[in-house]
Amino acid sequence: MSFKKKIFIVSSILAVYAVYRFIYFSLKPPSRYYCPVTIPGGRPLVLDDPSYKNHRFKTINDVSCLNETRVYDIIGITTPDDIRRALSLAQEKKIPISIAGARHSMGGQAFFTDSLVLDMTSYNRIVEINEKGKTITVESGATWHDIQLSLHSKGLAVKAMQSTDIFTVGGSLSVNAHGMDHSVGSMASTVISFTLMLADGTIRKVSSSDSELFNAAIGGYGLFGVILEVELEVTDNVMYRRDTFSVRTSEFPQLFKKIKDSHTYELFYAHLSTSPLSFFKTMIVYGYRRVEYSGSFPPLGRVSLINFRRYLINLSKSRYYGQIFKWVAEKYIDPFLEKRSIGLLSRNSVMHDSVEYLENILVNETDILQEYFIPRDQFIPFIEHVKVILQKSSLPVLNASIRVVNRESNLLTYAPQDMFALVLYLNQRATPGALKAMEKVTGQLIDITTKFGGTFFLPYQLHYTKAQLLAAYPSIDTFFALKRKYDPHLLFMNTFYAKYALGK
Ligand SMILES: Cc1cc2nc3c(=O)[nH]c(=O)nc-3n(C[C@H](O)[C@H](O)[C@H](O)COP(=O)(O)OP(=O)(O)OC[C@H]3O[C@@H](n4cnc5c(N)ncnc54)[C@H](O)[C@@H]3O)c2cc1C
């Protein structure tokens, strides 16, 4: 065979392989909760339990796919009466209740073994929009996506939410979610009131004047009752122009100070480099400045190039070259595409991101979110330590973003002072060894965070000890005691409470 022919055959094989990888990495799964994950050695859950005659249990999982749990039943909620009936059933059967929103917390916060799970996602009506007073009242299973669609036509927008729109309001309130608007702060600051169904079935209207329950249920992980309707402040929808620039990570605190003092940007975050060539040394900063705009707002649509984005994320799991390629795309291709578009984005459209590009069909692996909050003056030494920990681990870092959070005063606050947040999106295999490795790295990251006076976010994997929890959340035992005050029979239960309050 001639040399030319050999080259042709090899190139053809490589091209076919590249096309195969492109298709495999960019395919959308049948649903957001698609879980092609089997942990080797994991025992299958027994759904026909002889001690429960004529009853078949169900299983539930969260978006990480690593927490498959047997539950008594999953009940779709559409009215408060459905919840009351579920409470009676749970009391009759002597089983606990768990409350599930979009199940994007990753450590069993939304369910518990053999509990009766309330699926809140169909309890999702937009109850009222007060255009003049700029407020919205929604049922707690409504997602930000639904809410944005309702507000958009009225020239209004959400004030505080996560950076993506897939979560329910109940789930967001229960973790006190935060997002891109660095001046507004977390969701708690926008809550006017909410109604809460307590363990005895009574409904209580809770506002900041009822400070004990208000501050406990916000960031309360569903342990105090079922959040029903929530009244939130909203704001004007406005047009932004996005500025993107690269800086050295060491310059970030100074840069942020300037931006904060000059009020240049209303929305603001940064991505640390995840390329092995500049890992954590440089970052891309994204700032959204308000522009005068008198036209009508373009309708809300889907994020562009979803399959290509999905491909890039999955490619970056194959380490070195994939990570370099993803970073180059983020640094050069994304701003290039942005410049070619009209360059203006409404406030709603910036946060109208359903992260479909994070869903994939890859087998026996999963992507894990973690978040660490660090006092702003400790940012640089903290990042240096995190960099070393992550480099020593073999975990692919898919994304590392920096956000701004302000002091929050709910009981289980992750921000007892103004902080920067480091949000890590990590990939892991679903094997016992990989689970152990993730646990070890998480423990190291938590230790370094608390050493610098920081905290970590609780909706994620429960890879920490009670001592680590206490170091970051000195009020945890007060929080648990208050839970027992409002729910003495521990009707509302989740894996987090069982592990850290009951030692189960
Ligand atoms: C890809 C990804 C991106 C994320 N980005 C951000 C971000 O930008 N900012 C941020 O702050 N967080 C972020 N998170 C974390 C996220 O905010 C939390 O996991 C949030 O709880 C998800 O809402 P959910 O509807 O999925 O709630 P679930 O996970 O279903 O529930 C979370 C908790 O809320 C409780 N709960 C749910 N509904 C109710 C109710 N009606 N009444 C009482 N309790 C209830 C549950 O019992 C549970 O304890 C992110 C998570 C992922 C996976």
Side-chain angles (χ1 to χ4, degrees), residues 343-395:
L344 295 183
L345 293 159
S346 71
R347 181 179 173 98
N348 279 327
S349 69
V350 177
M351 299 181 220
H352 198 65
D353 179 355
S354 300
V355 284
E356 289 165 82
Y357 46 84
L358 298 184
E359 300 159 16
N360 61 59
I361 59 160
L362 307 195
V363 176
N364 275 346
E365 56 98 75
T366 185
D367 304 330
I368 294 296
L369 207 75
Q370 300 191 345
E371 198 162 338
Y372 302 93
F373 302 95
I374 196 77
R376 292 184 190 163
D377 57 354
Q378 300 298 319
F379 178 74
I380 298 298
F382 167 73
I383 286 293
E384 278 303 315
H385 280 82
V386 173
K387 182 172 97 182
V388 173
I389 293 171
L390 291 173
Q391 277 174 329
K392 277 192 187 152
S393 82
S394 55
L395 292 171

Side-chain angles (χ1 to χ4, degrees), residues 94-201:
K94 297 192 173 34
I95 50 173
I97 293 264
S98 301
I99 311 162
R103 282 184 278 126
H104 275 65
S105 47
M106 293 181 166
Q109 289 82 354
F111 43 83
F112 179 63
T113 302
D114 292 355
S115 69
L116 183 61
V117 178
L118 310 184
D119 174 358
M120 301 301 291
T121 52
S122 299
Y123 180 65
N124 61 353
R125 275 183 321 127
I126 308 293
V127 179
E128 190 190 358
I129 297 177
N130 177 344
E131 288 179 58
K132 232 170 139 203
K134 291 188 190 154
T135 63
I136 187 168
T137 305
V138 297
E139 291 178 342
S140 61
T143 60
W144 297 118
H145 187 89
D146 305 333
I147 293 173
Q148 288 176 322
L149 290 174
S150 304
L151 291 176
H152 197 67
S153 58
K154 305 204 177 322
L156 295 171
V158 177
K159 233 178 171 180
M161 58 179 269
Q162 295 90 334
S163 51
T164 65
D165 68 8
I166 49 184
F167 311 108
T168 65
V169 166
S172 305
L173 195 63
S174 300
V175 305
N176 192 19
H178 60 89
M180 298 180 188
D181 192 326
H182 61 96
S183 54
V184 172
S186 304
M187 199 187 155
S189 65
T190 68
V191 177
I192 299 166
S193 68
F194 54 91
T195 45
L196 188 71
M197 188 180 289
L198 298 168
D200 61 6

Side-chain angles (χ1 to χ4, degrees), residues 22-42:
F22 180 77
I23 294 172
Y24 181 53
F25 282 172
S26 56
L27 274 182
K28 182 179 165 58
S31 92
R32 179 169 293 153
Y33 301 98
Y34 179 65
C35 275
V37 167
T38 324
I39 301 172

Side-chain angles (χ1 to χ4, degrees), residues 273-321:
S273 167
T274 46
S275 158
L277 303 178
S278 53
F279 192 71
F280 275 37
K281 281 191 201 139
T282 59
M283 66 200 320
I284 306 173
V285 175
Y286 301 89
Y288 294 79
R289 67 171 77 221
R290 191 191 284 216
V291 294
E292 285 303 318
Y293 184 78
S294 54
S296 59
F297 294 105
L300 293 174
R302 289 167 79 204
V303 168
S304 63
L305 301 174
I306 288 175
N307 290 345
F308 183 62
R309 288 173 201 269
R310 182 182 293 121
Y311 166 73
L312 280 182
I313 290 171
N314 290 330
L315 186 70
S316 72
K317 295 173 186 173
S318 45
R319 312 269 159 78
Y320 200 76
Y321 292 107

Side-chain angles (χ1 to χ4, degrees), residues 434-498:
L435 293 178
K436 273 257 155 290
M438 178 62 92
E439 188 172 346
K440 186 172 161 209
V441 171
T442 309
Q444 291 169 342
L445 290 171
I446 287 175
D447 282 344
I448 203 65
T449 306
T450 45
K451 188 173 159 217
F452 282 105
T455 63
F456 56 96
F457 206 14
L458 299 176
Y460 302 127
Q461 291 174 303
L462 307 181
H463 285 333
Y464 44 89
T465 61
K466 176 80 192 275
Q468 285 173 316
L469 179 62
L470 199 58
Y473 291 90
S475 59
I476 191 73
D477 285 327
T478 315
F479 174 84
F480 288 154
L482 210 58
K483 190 266 187 301
R484 289 191 295 275
K485 172 179 161 187
Y486 284 96
D487 180 18
H489 303 296
L490 305 185
L491 184 64
F492 298 110
M493 183 56 63
N494 64 26
T495 317
F496 165 75
Y497 185 82

